[in-house]
Amino acid sequence: MWKRNWAKVGALVGAVGIAALVAGAAIGASGDHAAKQLYIAGVSPLTADPSLAPTSCGAAAEAKKLGVRWTWGGPSGPDIPKELSYLNSRLLLKPDGVLLLPLSPTAFVAPVRGLMRKGVPVALTDGTLQPSVQYRSYQSDFSSAGKMVSSAVLRMNGRTGTVGVVAFGPDKVLDRVRWEPAAKLLKAHDGITVLPTEYSNADAVKSASIASAMMQAHPDLKVIIATNGPESSGVASAVLAAGKKGKVKIVAFDAPAPVIKGIQDGTIAFTISQSPYVKGMQALRALVAYIKAHGSHARAVKPASPQIVPVPTKMITKANLTTRAARLYIDSADCNFFN
Amino acid sequence: MAVAEDPQALKPVAVDGQAEPTRLMRVLLARTVVWVFLVEVILVVVFGILSPGHVFWTAGSFRDLAVDGAEVVLLAAAVTFLLGAGELDISLGANIILSSVVGGRVMGAITATSTNILQQGTYHHVLLGILTGLVVCIATGATLGAVNGFVVTRMHVNSFITTLGTLGIATGVAQILSNGADLASIPNALQLQFGVRSLAGVFPYPALLAAVLICGLWALVTFTRFGLHTLSLGSSREAARRAGLKVDRHLMTLFIGVGAFGGLIGFIDLARFATTNIGGHQTDALEAIAGAVIGGTSMFGGRVSIFGAVIGAMLAVILNAGLVIVGVQSFYQLIVVGVVLILAVFIDQRRQRIL
């Protein structure tokens, strides 16, 4: 008797299972059918880093507006093989376009070239590829930053005095574009002396030591340009320790939380910041526009002209810190911050 | 043979009719630390002459040297204990970063009123947060030290390899906890009331703290059984074991203690910069070990000099500050620092051979 009941139960469970499978397949099929929705995959290292996460926030906001499916992921650390592996696993889902922050200028050339040949456009935000095989690249434009910094410095120090620079390292090209144009413009003024650039390798302790020595050697030092977050923190500590807050003004670059805090309490005069949010937004918009114009997975994608799109930087001061425009240039891993 | 600094040796004692000053001079010149100190005096004189307006000789300049050197000299003095016992810890830089990240997060969780970046600057329970942060920093450093000690004493892995491994682990954990970004939720009061403040405007608090602790370490190695046991481990581990010393337990204590000092330096970092310094401290452990060795501590154990380590570690600090002040370009600074460090050790070794 119990055997017959168990057989009935088994048959019932089997029938339900088959029904579920059929229903699932039907739903899946209808989903596929309806999935004319485009899919853009974002791949980045350090996905939770507040200086990179806004890229996803900007892309996600734009994707929502355009009705596009958007995903974002990658390794938590600066690991090239892991980022490559993550990109490859994402490609199994056949995205219509890829937004990439490549950790290496060379390691990603082959996969990007392969994607472009298959008709999948790849846009970069930050980072470069050599050769430049991507569809388009969105890079922060520091060319205007030099003028912004030099004008502000001249205004702050009354066109006289000494200016110091504490930078990341002499071999860092992306760091050099931050301070070199401003230093050149400032050197052209008779009353201004620009000291030889000192390097601290993103170490706040070394930055503090350099700034202290600069202030000792040059009592007329009025401005120190610090090209990254750790440099700003170190210089700020030295200025505070010397009791020269307000007398020696600090110009920073980028807008991580410690720099914003320095602007709020008046230790840092202003910062020149780039906007990963805007870069993410523009890159996603360009990818969608291309796919809509040329079709998905159609013919091979050719690099756009112009291939590199400069994204303006912005000066953030205490006065404009809380405006919506400035917010888009502040580092935050919380996307609600940008709303 | 285990040798610590012996204050008695500095006493001028007349022997065989020799004049006291001659005897004193001979005792002094036999010490590495004295020679390194002389090199530093020469550097201070030269930098003073070359610096504009002789600013290198001002009180402000010495105050800057004190605060800039506080962390590395404290680290050098602490790592001297491990060197004395014949061990190494090259994970100390990562220890400082990890401790400051963990301590900073706890401090921020207690004191920060908002996670919104634009609403920073308002804090509550500041004292509680700072004290808890201090304890957590030290505890984190001590824990990493305990891990090092466990692997070295229980798993019998060489301390160089062990701490090379934990260097990577600690750096990775710090990156995960901070998402690779420096924390900013540190109360300003910590920086303004301690990190950048000086007693009477001359003695920076971080340097004073370092000075007190260094004196304590010197007393520990010179006057206590703990110090003697540490040196005996470095002189002959087997002899120490046969003499009944609990070698593993002592080594474990040393690793934990040195780790705790790393944690304390992490806290000083938070105090000085009101943020973490994730990108920094890459060469701290090597600078501290180099400072200790330059100051007369043996890499192979059995011979230490706490004040020698301090003076040895200050050599690079003086050079770095002096070269910026006299306007030597960055590229040349690295060369000059390297040359002077090698010369200082070479002169000392040559002197020892002659003696």
Side-chain angles (χ1 to χ4, degrees):
Chain A
M1 184 70 176
W2 62 273
K3 276 185 183 172
R4 202 182 298 162
N5 284 341
W6 273 112
K8 281 180 185 173
V9 170
L12 187 64
V13 169
V16 169
I18 290 166
L21 279 174
V22 170
I27 291 166
S30 71
D32 276 349
H33 190 68
K36 294 303 170 193
Q37 186 190 30
L38 295 179
Y39 168 40
I40 308 291
V43 177
S44 164
L46 299 156
T47 42
D49 184 331
S51 69
L52 296 178
T55 310
S56 173
C57 299
E62 191 66 12
K64 193 177 174 188
K65 203 163 84 181
L66 299 173
V68 172
R69 188 177 155 228
W70 160 254
T71 59
W72 168 257
S76 59
D79 190 324
I80 296 169
K82 280 186 183 160
E83 192 185 1
L84 265 173
S85 161
Y86 187 89
L87 174 65
N88 290 332
S89 61
R90 269 290 149 195
L91 297 184
L92 296 175
L93 300 173
K94 298 198 181 307
D96 299 292
V98 172
L99 194 159
L100 178 67
L101 282 82
L103 261 177
S104 156
T106 51
F108 292 86
V109 169
V112 169
R113 190 178 268 150
L115 281 167
M116 297 276 284
R117 279 188 189 141
K118 287 179 192 165
V120 179
V122 180
L124 309 184
T125 62
D126 294 309
T128 53
L129 293 179
Q130 291 165 358
S132 193
V133 295
Q134 75 281 0
Y135 169 63
R136 200 161 247 177
S137 178
Y138 290 81
Q139 305 288 340
S140 297
D141 176 20
F142 282 100
S143 62
S144 56
K147 203 170 177 185
M148 271 196 274
V149 171
S150 62
S151 306
V153 167
L154 290 171
R155 222 174 23 250
M156 285 191 302
N157 65 5
R159 296 178 174 271
T160 56
T162 301
V163 176
V165 181
V166 184
F168 190 162
D171 56 331
K172 310 284 187 243
V173 180
L174 293 175
D175 189 63
R176 189 173 277 273
V177 297
R178 297 176 174 214
W179 60 266
E180 211 166 38
K184 272 184 187 165
L185 289 167
L186 287 167
K187 276 178 187 168
H189 289 265
D190 287 340
I192 302 282
T193 305
V194 181
L195 299 174
T197 301
E198 298 288 344
Y199 301 99
S200 74
N201 287 312
D203 186 342
V205 177
K206 281 183 186 154
S207 304
S209 170
I210 290 168
S212 300
M214 277 180 173
M215 285 186 283
Q216 286 295 336
H218 305 279
D220 64 336
L221 187 74
K222 289 184 177 171
V223 176
I224 300 178
I225 298 172
T227 63
N228 280 282
E231 280 79 8
S232 310
S233 302
V235 171
S237 169
V239 168
L240 287 171
K244 291 193 172 180
K245 180 181 169 183
K247 290 175 193 156
V248 175
K249 304 213 165 43
I250 302 169
V251 174
F253 278 84
D254 293 340
V259 169
I260 297 302
K261 198 173 171 185
I263 291 174
Q264 284 171 324
D265 65 29
T267 317
I268 294 172
F270 65 86
T271 186
I272 301 293
S273 186
Q274 47 188 329
S275 178
Y277 184 95
V278 172
K279 282 187 269 188
M281 198 172 69
Q282 291 187 356
L284 189 124
R285 190 185 299 157
L287 288 171
V288 172
Y290 176 89
I291 298 161
K292 283 187 175 169
H294 299 89
S296 172
H297 300 274
R299 58 174 182 240
V301 184
K302 288 182 182 164
S305 178
Q307 195 183 20
I308 294 174
V309 180
V311 178
T313 50
K314 188 174 182 64
M315 180 188 286
I316 299 178
T317 63
K318 199 171 183 177
N320 70 1
L321 190 59
T322 53
T323 61
R324 156 85 178 147
R327 275 179 176 235
L328 299 182
Y329 287 77
I330 293 174
D331 295 352
S332 173
D334 176 13
C335 287
N336 292 324
F337 175 78
F338 301 101
N339 297 329
Chain B
M1 184 192 160
V3 182
E5 287 166 324
D6 180 7
Q8 298 297 321
L10 291 173
K11 284 186 179 174
V13 181
V15 180
D16 297 336
Q18 278 185 319
E20 282 190 5
T22 314
R23 167 76 176 161
L24 175 65
M25 191 67 77
R26 193 179 293 173
V27 169
L28 283 174
L29 292 180
R31 288 168 175 266
T32 302
V33 60
V34 175
W35 284 90
V36 179
F37 183 70
L38 283 176
V39 170
E40 290 179 3
V41 170
I42 292 167
L43 285 173
V44 169
V45 170
V46 171
F47 285 138
I49 292 167
L50 294 178
S51 59
H54 309 306
V55 290
F56 199 74
W57 291 336
T58 59
S61 176
F62 288 116
R63 183 199 60 210
D64 291 343
L65 286 177
V67 75
D68 291 337
E71 292 183 19
V72 71
V73 297
L74 193 50
L75 203 59
V79 85
T80 295
F81 275 78
L82 273 179
L83 292 172
E87 300 290 347
L88 275 175
D89 186 347
I90 58 167
S91 69
L92 284 167
N95 180 329
I96 294 169
I97 295 170
L98 178 62
S99 303
S100 65
V101 167
V102 176
R105 283 197 81 93
V106 170
M107 213 184 287
I110 295 172
T111 60
T113 52
S114 170
T115 54
N116 188 319
I117 191 169
L118 293 175
Q119 289 162 9
Q120 301 175 104
T122 313
Y123 300 95
H124 56 193
H125 311 308
V126 172
L127 187 61
L128 174 70
I130 289 172
L131 292 176
T132 311
L134 171 64
V135 171
V136 171
C137 280
I138 294 172
T140 306
T143 304
L144 187 63
V147 171
N148 286 333
F150 179 83
V151 176
V152 170
T153 59
R154 304 289 170 191
M155 296 164 72
H156 305 291
V157 178
N158 174 286
S159 61
F160 177 78
I161 299 298
T162 299
T163 54
L164 182 65
T166 51
L167 182 154
I169 294 167
T171 305
V173 173
Q175 297 274 4
I176 290 167
L177 291 177
S178 63
N179 290 324
D182 282 316
L183 307 177
S185 51
I186 313 301
N188 287 351
L190 177 61
Q191 184 182 35
L192 298 176
Q193 301 303 320
F194 174 71
V196 298
R197 204 168 169 194
S198 299
L199 182 68
V202 180
F203 304 105
Y205 282 128
L208 278 178
L209 175 65
V212 169
L213 290 171
I214 286 164
C215 289
L217 290 174
W218 173 75
L220 189 64
V221 80
T222 310
F223 299 120
T224 68
R225 191 172 291 177
F226 183 87
L228 189 65
H229 288 177
T230 301
L231 294 170
S232 62
L233 288 189
S235 285
S236 170
R237 185 121 347 146
E238 192 49 42
R241 207 181 296 275
R242 287 186 183 183
L245 249 70
K246 289 178 174 145
V247 171
D248 286 353
R249 189 195 286 182
H250 196 88
L251 280 177
M252 190 77 177
T253 309
L254 285 175
F255 274 106
I256 292 173
V258 173
F261 267 87
L264 179 66
I265 294 167
F267 177 79
I268 294 174
D269 233 31
L270 291 175
R272 285 189 68 198
F273 307 116
T275 179
T276 47
N277 184 19
I278 290 170
H281 303 296
Q282 306 293 331
T283 55
D284 279 17
L286 295 179
E287 282 175 22
I289 291 168
V293 173
I294 288 168
T297 295
S298 167
M299 279 280 284
F300 309 104
R303 181 162 58 92
V304 299
S305 170
I306 297 291
F307 290 124
V310 171
I311 288 169
M314 278 307 288
L315 186 58
V317 176
I318 292 170
L319 272 170
N320 284 325
L323 291 170
V324 174
I325 287 182
V326 300
V328 174
Q329 274 198 357
S330 241
F331 307 109
Y332 298 104
Q333 289 173 19
L334 296 169
I335 300 169
V336 175
V337 171
V339 168
V340 173
L341 288 181
I342 291 170
L343 270 180
V345 176
F346 169 74
I347 291 167
D348 178 57
Q349 284 180 348
R350 197 171 165 77
R351 176 193 57 78
Q352 282 184 8
R353 257 183 253 134
I354 291 166
L355 285 174

